[in-house]
Amino acid sequence: MGSSRPGLRGVRRPTHAGSWYEGDPDLLRDELQQMLGAEYAEGAMADPKLKAVISPHAGLRYSGSVAAGVFARLDPATVKQVVLIGPSHH
């Protein structure tokens, strides 16, 4: 566990890149920006009162647009902590 990149302590290395989501970081960034951009174009607005969200975590092809709808409503300025709870798929 961990990363050799500064500032990313505790971030594990991707194990499913290229299968459940794009393996190329630049293409993945583009895909995520496209999904979030579609949400903003449809009028999604960040809600600073939002305290928690529940989002699907299947591959981007299957649930990425739904997850983008959830995350488009988060106000990054108000996020102090992220807790990810999910099953181990191993």
Side-chain angles (χ1 to χ4, degrees), residues 26-42:
D26 293 327
L27 293 177
L28 177 59
R29 185 176 301 107
D30 290 346
E31 187 175 5
L32 293 172
Q33 287 175 341
Q34 205 170 29
M35 288 179 189
L36 286 168
E39 289 299 318
Y40 294 129
E42 290 183 17

PDB file of all heavy atoms in Angstrom, residues 26-42:
ATOM      1  N   ASP A  26      -4.378  10.158 -18.635  1.00  0.00           N
ATOM      2  CA  ASP A  26      -4.907  11.299 -19.390  1.00  0.00           C
ATOM      3  C   ASP A  26      -6.280  10.987 -19.980  1.00  0.00           C
ATOM      4  O   ASP A  26      -7.188  11.821 -19.942  1.00  0.00           O
ATOM      5  CB  ASP A  26      -3.940  11.719 -20.503  1.00  0.00           C
ATOM      6  CG  ASP A  26      -2.644  12.284 -19.946  1.00  0.00           C
ATOM      7  OD1 ASP A  26      -2.684  12.926 -18.876  1.00  0.00           O
ATOM      8  OD2 ASP A  26      -1.594  12.082 -20.586  1.00  0.00           O
ATOM      9  N   LEU A  27      -6.441   9.782 -20.515  1.00  0.00           N
ATOM     10  CA  LEU A  27      -7.741   9.392 -21.071  1.00  0.00           C
ATOM     11  C   LEU A  27      -8.785   9.255 -19.964  1.00  0.00           C
ATOM     12  O   LEU A  27      -9.950   9.625 -20.151  1.00  0.00           O
ATOM     13  CB  LEU A  27      -7.612   8.096 -21.863  1.00  0.00           C
ATOM     14  CG  LEU A  27      -6.774   8.177 -23.138  1.00  0.00           C
ATOM     15  CD1 LEU A  27      -6.655   6.799 -23.795  1.00  0.00           C
ATOM     16  CD2 LEU A  27      -7.364   9.184 -24.111  1.00  0.00           C
ATOM     17  N   LEU A  28      -8.367   8.743 -18.805  1.00  0.00           N
ATOM     18  CA  LEU A  28      -9.277   8.631 -17.667  1.00  0.00           C
ATOM     19  C   LEU A  28      -9.732  10.016 -17.214  1.00  0.00           C
ATOM     20  O   LEU A  28     -10.919  10.241 -16.980  1.00  0.00           O
ATOM     21  CB  LEU A  28      -8.598   7.889 -16.518  1.00  0.00           C
ATOM     22  CG  LEU A  28      -9.408   7.760 -15.229  1.00  0.00           C
ATOM     23  CD1 LEU A  28     -10.718   7.025 -15.470  1.00  0.00           C
ATOM     24  CD2 LEU A  28      -8.581   7.052 -14.156  1.00  0.00           C
ATOM     25  N   ARG A  29      -8.808  10.945 -17.117  1.00  0.00           N
ATOM     26  CA  ARG A  29      -9.139  12.324 -16.736  1.00  0.00           C
ATOM     27  C   ARG A  29     -10.146  12.918 -17.724  1.00  0.00           C
ATOM     28  O   ARG A  29     -11.143  13.525 -17.323  1.00  0.00           O
ATOM     29  CB  ARG A  29      -7.877  13.177 -16.675  1.00  0.00           C
ATOM     30  CG  ARG A  29      -8.111  14.593 -16.182  1.00  0.00           C
ATOM     31  CD  ARG A  29      -6.826  15.386 -16.051  1.00  0.00           C
ATOM     32  NE  ARG A  29      -5.899  14.753 -15.117  1.00  0.00           N
ATOM     33  CZ  ARG A  29      -4.770  14.109 -15.477  1.00  0.00           C
ATOM     34  NH1 ARG A  29      -4.405  14.033 -16.730  1.00  0.00           N
ATOM     35  NH2 ARG A  29      -3.997  13.558 -14.577  1.00  0.00           N
ATOM     36  N   ASP A  30      -9.911  12.709 -19.017  1.00  0.00           N
ATOM     37  CA  ASP A  30     -10.839  13.212 -20.045  1.00  0.00           C
ATOM     38  C   ASP A  30     -12.229  12.602 -19.886  1.00  0.00           C
ATOM     39  O   ASP A  30     -13.238  13.295 -19.995  1.00  0.00           O
ATOM     40  CB  ASP A  30     -10.308  12.917 -21.448  1.00  0.00           C
ATOM     41  CG  ASP A  30      -9.078  13.735 -21.812  1.00  0.00           C
ATOM     42  OD1 ASP A  30      -8.783  14.726 -21.098  1.00  0.00           O
ATOM     43  OD2 ASP A  30      -8.417  13.371 -22.800  1.00  0.00           O
ATOM     44  N   GLU A  31     -12.276  11.299 -19.635  1.00  0.00           N
ATOM     45  CA  GLU A  31     -13.563  10.607 -19.492  1.00  0.00           C
ATOM     46  C   GLU A  31     -14.327  11.141 -18.276  1.00  0.00           C
ATOM     47  O   GLU A  31     -15.526  11.404 -18.343  1.00  0.00           O
ATOM     48  CB  GLU A  31     -13.315   9.099 -19.352  1.00  0.00           C
ATOM     49  CG  GLU A  31     -14.567   8.269 -19.362  1.00  0.00           C
ATOM     50  CD  GLU A  31     -14.286   6.774 -19.337  1.00  0.00           C
ATOM     51  OE1 GLU A  31     -13.116   6.362 -19.222  1.00  0.00           O
ATOM     52  OE2 GLU A  31     -15.262   6.016 -19.429  1.00  0.00           O
ATOM     53  N   LEU A  32     -13.608  11.332 -17.163  1.00  0.00           N
ATOM     54  CA  LEU A  32     -14.251  11.859 -15.961  1.00  0.00           C
ATOM     55  C   LEU A  32     -14.735  13.291 -16.165  1.00  0.00           C
ATOM     56  O   LEU A  32     -15.847  13.646 -15.769  1.00  0.00           O
ATOM     57  CB  LEU A  32     -13.288  11.796 -14.775  1.00  0.00           C
ATOM     58  CG  LEU A  32     -12.920  10.396 -14.297  1.00  0.00           C
ATOM     59  CD1 LEU A  32     -11.826  10.459 -13.251  1.00  0.00           C
ATOM     60  CD2 LEU A  32     -14.142   9.664 -13.775  1.00  0.00           C
ATOM     61  N   GLN A  33     -13.924  14.106 -16.819  1.00  0.00           N
ATOM     62  CA  GLN A  33     -14.324  15.490 -17.082  1.00  0.00           C
ATOM     63  C   GLN A  33     -15.543  15.535 -17.999  1.00  0.00           C
ATOM     64  O   GLN A  33     -16.427  16.378 -17.830  1.00  0.00           O
ATOM     65  CB  GLN A  33     -13.167  16.281 -17.677  1.00  0.00           C
ATOM     66  CG  GLN A  33     -12.102  16.603 -16.650  1.00  0.00           C
ATOM     67  CD  GLN A  33     -10.889  17.295 -17.251  1.00  0.00           C
ATOM     68  OE1 GLN A  33     -10.646  17.251 -18.452  1.00  0.00           O
ATOM     69  NE2 GLN A  33     -10.103  17.928 -16.392  1.00  0.00           N
ATOM     70  N   GLN A  34     -15.610  14.620 -18.943  1.00  0.00           N
ATOM     71  CA  GLN A  34     -16.759  14.549 -19.852  1.00  0.00           C
ATOM     72  C   GLN A  34     -18.029  14.195 -19.078  1.00  0.00           C
ATOM     73  O   GLN A  34     -19.086  14.807 -19.268  1.00  0.00           O
ATOM     74  CB  GLN A  34     -16.478  13.511 -20.928  1.00  0.00           C
ATOM     75  CG  GLN A  34     -17.215  13.702 -22.194  1.00  0.00           C
ATOM     76  CD  GLN A  34     -16.682  12.751 -23.272  1.00  0.00           C
ATOM     77  OE1 GLN A  34     -16.194  11.656 -22.990  1.00  0.00           O
ATOM     78  NE2 GLN A  34     -16.784  13.165 -24.502  1.00  0.00           N
ATOM     79  N   MET A  35     -17.937  13.221 -18.176  1.00  0.00           N
ATOM     80  CA  MET A  35     -19.101  12.809 -17.388  1.00  0.00           C
ATOM     81  C   MET A  35     -19.556  13.934 -16.461  1.00  0.00           C
ATOM     82  O   MET A  35     -20.753  14.226 -16.369  1.00  0.00           O
ATOM     83  CB  MET A  35     -18.780  11.555 -16.578  1.00  0.00           C
ATOM     84  CG  MET A  35     -18.670  10.313 -17.397  1.00  0.00           C
ATOM     85  SD  MET A  35     -18.261   8.910 -16.333  1.00  0.00           S
ATOM     86  CE  MET A  35     -17.919   7.673 -17.554  1.00  0.00           C
ATOM     87  N   LEU A  36     -18.612  14.551 -15.772  1.00  0.00           N
ATOM     88  CA  LEU A  36     -18.970  15.658 -14.881  1.00  0.00           C
ATOM     89  C   LEU A  36     -19.483  16.848 -15.673  1.00  0.00           C
ATOM     90  O   LEU A  36     -20.446  17.502 -15.270  1.00  0.00           O
ATOM     91  CB  LEU A  36     -17.763  16.071 -14.026  1.00  0.00           C
ATOM     92  CG  LEU A  36     -17.413  15.110 -12.905  1.00  0.00           C
ATOM     93  CD1 LEU A  36     -16.055  15.455 -12.311  1.00  0.00           C
ATOM     94  CD2 LEU A  36     -18.484  15.118 -11.829  1.00  0.00           C
ATOM     95  N   GLY A  37     -18.875  17.122 -16.817  1.00  0.00           N
ATOM     96  CA  GLY A  37     -19.315  18.226 -17.660  1.00  0.00           C
ATOM     97  C   GLY A  37     -20.750  18.059 -18.114  1.00  0.00           C
ATOM     98  O   GLY A  37     -21.510  19.020 -18.167  1.00  0.00           O
ATOM     99  N   ALA A  38     -21.148  16.833 -18.412  1.00  0.00           N
ATOM    100  CA  ALA A  38     -22.532  16.574 -18.825  1.00  0.00           C
ATOM    101  C   ALA A  38     -23.488  16.893 -17.680  1.00  0.00           C
ATOM    102  O   ALA A  38     -24.570  17.439 -17.898  1.00  0.00           O
ATOM    103  CB  ALA A  38     -22.683  15.119 -19.265  1.00  0.00           C
ATOM    104  N   GLU A  39     -23.094  16.583 -16.462  1.00  0.00           N
ATOM    105  CA  GLU A  39     -23.937  16.880 -15.295  1.00  0.00           C
ATOM    106  C   GLU A  39     -24.083  18.385 -15.104  1.00  0.00           C
ATOM    107  O   GLU A  39     -25.176  18.888 -14.872  1.00  0.00           O
ATOM    108  CB  GLU A  39     -23.354  16.243 -14.030  1.00  0.00           C
ATOM    109  CG  GLU A  39     -23.485  14.750 -14.002  1.00  0.00           C
ATOM    110  CD  GLU A  39     -24.931  14.287 -14.042  1.00  0.00           C
ATOM    111  OE1 GLU A  39     -25.780  14.882 -13.352  1.00  0.00           O
ATOM    112  OE2 GLU A  39     -25.220  13.320 -14.764  1.00  0.00           O
ATOM    113  N   TYR A  40     -22.973  19.111 -15.214  1.00  0.00           N
ATOM    114  CA  TYR A  40     -23.025  20.566 -15.045  1.00  0.00           C
ATOM    115  C   TYR A  40     -23.839  21.205 -16.166  1.00  0.00           C
ATOM    116  O   TYR A  40     -24.592  22.143 -15.932  1.00  0.00           O
ATOM    117  CB  TYR A  40     -21.621  21.164 -14.988  1.00  0.00           C
ATOM    118  CG  TYR A  40     -20.833  20.729 -13.771  1.00  0.00           C
ATOM    119  CD1 TYR A  40     -19.548  20.218 -13.894  1.00  0.00           C
ATOM    120  CD2 TYR A  40     -21.372  20.830 -12.490  1.00  0.00           C
ATOM    121  CE1 TYR A  40     -18.825  19.816 -12.777  1.00  0.00           C
ATOM    122  CE2 TYR A  40     -20.662  20.425 -11.372  1.00  0.00           C
ATOM    123  CZ  TYR A  40     -19.390  19.920 -11.521  1.00  0.00           C
ATOM    124  OH  TYR A  40     -18.681  19.533 -10.424  1.00  0.00           O
ATOM    125  N   ALA A  41     -23.723  20.674 -17.369  1.00  0.00           N
ATOM    126  CA  ALA A  41     -24.486  21.204 -18.505  1.00  0.00           C
ATOM    127  C   ALA A  41     -25.985  21.023 -18.283  1.00  0.00           C
ATOM    128  O   ALA A  41     -26.789  21.812 -18.764  1.00  0.00           O
ATOM    129  CB  ALA A  41     -24.050  20.525 -19.803  1.00  0.00           C
ATOM    130  N   GLU A  42     -26.350  19.972 -17.544  1.00  0.00           N
ATOM    131  CA  GLU A  42     -27.769  19.725 -17.252  1.00  0.00           C
ATOM    132  C   GLU A  42     -28.240  20.491 -16.020  1.00  0.00           C
ATOM    133  O   GLU A  42     -29.367  20.311 -15.568  1.00  0.00           O
ATOM    134  CB  GLU A  42     -28.009  18.228 -17.077  1.00  0.00           C
ATOM    135  CG  GLU A  42     -27.892  17.462 -18.382  1.00  0.00           C
ATOM    136  CD  GLU A  42     -28.211  15.987 -18.220  1.00  0.00           C
ATOM    137  OE1 GLU A  42     -28.823  15.597 -17.206  1.00  0.00           O
ATOM    138  OE2 GLU A  42     -27.835  15.217 -19.113  1.00  0.00           O
TER     139      GLU A  42
END
